[in-house]
Structures are given as structure tokens and as C-alpha cells.
Amino acid sequence: MEAPRIHTTVLLNEAVDALFSDGGTPFAAAAQATYVDATFGRGGHSRLILSRLGADGRLIAFDRDPEAVAQAALIDDARFSIRHEGFSNLGVLAGGSVGGILMDLGVSSPQIDSPERGFSFRFEGPLDMRMDTTRGESVAQWLETAEINQITEVIREYGEERFAGAIAKAIVARRQERGAISTTSELAQLVADTVKTREPGQNPATRTFQAFRIFINAELEELQQALEASLEVLEPGGRLAVISFHSLEDRIVKQFIAKHSKDEYDRRAPFAAPKVMKLKALGRIKPSAEEVAANPRSRSAILRVAQRMPA
């Protein structure tokens, strides 16, 4: 078994810099504002944000993972608090009360490398994949009753897998013959036996595992709700910084920022003043070659930054 990796925060300085400064110049009063780390993980971004805050600054973190919440409890800082809930609940914060929101959509290395969490085909473990292990059904439980068309849709939509139908049929056939799949190795082997061609260097089960993880945690719905809530809780001039790791997430973030970065005209009232744009797109950042060399898991990361405009 491979040794578990220590989590390395992706785009650490770039993301936090995007919240606090513009072209290297700190915002006025930025250190005294309230910030949100919407996905605490193992706290890399949170700790750097805290190091930038003044005495009156505040940091509120969200995370669904009980293990992440336990890690957050180790931070002894009166300016910091953690909420054990998904970041789709950003709307519980007061409107216009937040100076910056950071969303890191990646799965942390401790989650991936913990066999008992069931996120990776590299380790033998229960087929769980829940971000919050205290609630909801696991992937294994869902596969006990899911129909072929349901499984096909999930694998095709969230994994962009061209062999989705064949994999779904194999999963249901296996369930009928020998009982439902319950471990990561069983799923990985079934997919490998079903998918005969794959991109060089990619495990045949990669897309299926991604699809089931996204589905069981409603990750894309969670992201969409959080983005919409960010418009309400960000103060004018506040920053939104989002790090995504695959095309489905990045497409949602890109389209959201683009949608709210232009004036809206009511076609039914062509002479009425347009609704002013809510966001200003500030750019897109990818990891440096040095970061990718040091942490290969960062290679697909994309950071998009936007600024909340006055109402």
C-alpha cells in the first residue's frame, strides 16, 4: 500500500492574494474584513488568510467532512470559526457582510488516500465516497437499487464516460448474479473488465469513480447554490475566488462569472435602463510549472477570480 500523502494546498498564495490585493497593492481595510473559506479541507488557505487578518478581521469556514471539522478545531484563534455544513449554506450569512469568499473544489489528499473513505481505486476499502460520513447513503448503498438508466446517466453526465451504458449494465448484471458491489477494488475491476480502451496513463475506472463521487455528494448542485449565495453575501468590492479541478466544475464557474459580468437588458422594455452587472471578471490563473512538478495533483487546477460590483 502506498503511504498516505500529506495534503498540499493548491494555488495557496495566488488564491489568498486574489482576496486581499490587486496587483500587489493591499485593499484598504482588507485586513479588518470578514472572509469565508467555503471548503476548509485541511486548512491551508484558512491559515494563510488568518495570517493576513488584523485584530478585527474574521474568518468563517465551512466543511461537510467531520474529519476536516476536527482539524479546524485545532486552530486556536478567536477570529476563526467553523461550520459543519456544505458551502451551499453560504446564504445563512448576512447580506453584504463578507469581503472575500474562497472555494477550493478539490478533494483533499487525506480523503483520497484514506482507504476507509472509498474515494480511490488505488486502495481497497468500502465503496463510500461521502464527504459527510454522518448522513446520506454511500455509493454502495445507492448501487444496491439503482436502475441501469440511472447509473448510465450518472456516469455519462458526471464522468463524461463514453462507455457509461456498458459499465451500468455490467454493474447491474453483477448485482443480479452475485450481489451488489461493496468495495472499491470490485468496482475498479468491473470497470477495467468492461472498458477495453482508455487514454494512455489513465486508469479505466477514473471517470466512473469521479462520476459516483460527484453524484453521491451533489457536488455540482452544491457549487451552483454557493455561487448564487455569494452574490448576496459579498460586500461591494468583495472578491470571489474559485479553484476547480475538472471541466464540469470550471464550466459552471466560468459561465456564472460571465453571466453576471455583463449588463442585463429587458427585451420587453427596450428603453429601460439595464440591470447593472453584479460581478467583474478579474482573470484566470493556473499553477506554475514549479507547483505542478512539486504537486502533480495540481496540474488540472484553474483559479477564477471576480469582484462584486455595487448594486
Side-chain angles (χ1 to χ4, degrees):
M1 181 184 295
E2 298 179 36
R5 301 185 189 183
I6 297 173
H7 182 67
T8 301
T9 305
V10 174
L11 291 166
L12 174 60
N13 291 292
E14 293 88 343
V16 176
D17 286 347
L19 296 181
F20 280 88
S21 63
D22 188 6
T25 303
F27 295 130
Q32 310 307 325
T34 295
Y35 292 86
V36 172
D37 184 348
T39 48
F40 178 82
R42 290 305 180 265
H45 288 119
S46 280
R47 290 180 174 85
L48 185 56
I49 291 171
L50 285 169
S51 74
R52 304 276 185 92
L53 289 182
D56 294 327
R58 293 290 181 270
L59 175 61
I60 303 166
F62 288 74
D63 208 295
R64 290 192 282 181
D65 189 337
E67 294 180 7
V69 174
Q71 285 291 315
L74 301 177
I75 296 179
D76 184 15
D77 193 320
R79 301 170 301 170
F80 174 76
S81 62
I82 179 76
R83 301 179 68 103
H84 181 198
E85 56 188 324
F87 63 108
S88 59
N89 293 304
L90 276 173
V92 302
L93 304 179
S97 66
V98 174
I101 298 172
L102 173 59
M103 303 178 187
D104 179 349
L105 307 179
V107 182
S108 71
S109 295
Q111 288 174 322
I112 295 173
D113 294 333
S114 296
E116 65 275 10
R117 300 299 299 272
F119 284 108
S120 176
F121 45 75
R122 295 188 296 113
F123 305 108
E124 168 70 12
L127 193 59
D128 195 319
M129 297 197 201
R130 290 172 296 164
M131 294 291 184
D132 186 347
T133 53
T134 67
R135 66 194 74 180
E137 65 178 358
S138 67
V139 170
Q141 290 169 326
W142 176 66
L143 288 177
E144 287 178 1
T145 58
E147 301 293 339
I148 288 177
N149 62 334
Q150 293 176 298
I151 301 171
T152 300
E153 183 179 1
V154 167
I155 300 174
R156 180 182 295 128
E157 181 175 352
Y158 299 131
E160 300 178 298
E161 170 62 75
R162 57 190 171 128
F163 298 106
I167 295 170
K169 290 178 182 177
I171 288 173
V172 173
R174 149 64 199 257
R175 184 175 73 200
Q176 294 171 340
E177 294 170 4
R178 291 180 287 151
I181 293 172
S182 60
T183 70
T184 53
S185 61
E186 288 174 341
L187 177 60
Q189 187 59 56
L190 180 144
V191 175
D193 291 341
T194 305
V195 177
K196 302 304 182 183
T197 62
R198 177 55 66 221
E199 296 88 340
Q202 185 181 88
N203 187 291
T206 298
R207 294 178 182 272
T208 300
F209 270 70
Q210 171 185 296
F212 287 165
R213 191 204 78 224
I214 291 173
F215 168 75
I216 212 68
N217 293 292
E219 291 180 25
L220 301 187
E221 294 84 355
E222 179 96 354
L223 173 59
Q224 290 168 329
Q225 292 171 29
L227 290 171
E228 291 295 338
S230 71
L231 291 176
E232 303 303 319
V233 303
L234 278 172
E235 63 185 26
R239 295 292 183 87
L240 173 66
V242 186
I243 303 171
S244 60
F245 288 83
H246 57 74
S247 60
L248 296 175
E249 295 171 337
D250 184 57
R251 189 178 305 127
I252 291 172
V253 177
K254 179 181 179 180
Q255 292 176 349
F256 174 81
I257 293 175
K259 173 185 175 183
H260 294 290
S261 295
K262 58 186 178 183
D263 294 339
E264 295 182 23
Y265 292 86
D266 187 345
R267 295 180 180 179
R268 297 167 298 180
F271 300 107
K275 295 180 181 179
V276 297
M277 63 184 186
K278 297 178 181 179
L279 293 173
K280 178 183 179 182
L282 297 180
R284 170 180 174 273
I285 301 170
K286 290 185 65 76
S288 65
E290 292 77 15
E291 179 170 2
V292 173
N295 179 21
R297 286 180 176 172
S298 71
R299 65 185 177 275
S300 61
I302 297 175
L303 167 65
R304 294 188 185 273
V305 185
Q307 185 171 27
R308 183 69 167 98
M309 302 300 289

